[in-house]
Amino acid sequence: RVLLVTGKGGAGKSTLVDALGLRAAAKGLRTLLVENAADGTLSRWFAKGGERGRVHRLGELLDGIEIDPRRLLEEYFASV
């Protein structure tokens, strides 16, 4: 199952996603949180520093990755 959370800045998306991720993992579901903003909210919430673009273990059954959409597009267009 894939759950996407969207909305305008400051609406509480990151808070909601993090809570949903924690709840899903607590229920025994393997969960991957994907942050596609450049502000590093996921790292701050879980006090995990790390390389962007790599999956990091955040807890039991809970992983997270931060991606930078702009950088991904720039890398793609540089390669074509």
Side-chain angles (χ1 to χ4, degrees):
R1 177 187 312 193
V2 175
L3 177 63
L4 301 174
V5 177
T6 65
K8 69 182 196 88
K13 296 179 300 293
S14 295
T15 303
L16 176 62
V17 166
D18 294 344
L20 289 171
L22 287 169
R23 180 70 175 147
K27 287 181 141 190
L29 300 171
R30 188 168 178 187
T31 305
L32 175 66
L33 301 178
V34 179
E35 170 84 54
N36 72 343
D39 63 1
T41 303
L42 188 63
S43 291
R44 288 195 307 275
W45 269 101
F46 289 98
K48 303 277 185 179
E51 182 182 342
R52 294 178 72 87
R54 277 194 47 231
V55 175
H56 297 279
R57 176 61 41 113
L58 303 174
E60 189 175 337
L61 297 175
L62 183 62
D63 296 316
I65 184 171
E66 292 178 321
I67 59 173
D68 182 347
R70 181 184 194 109
R71 192 193 72 181
L72 291 174
L73 284 173
E74 288 170 353
E75 288 176 6
Y76 172 76
F77 284 113
S79 69
V80 291

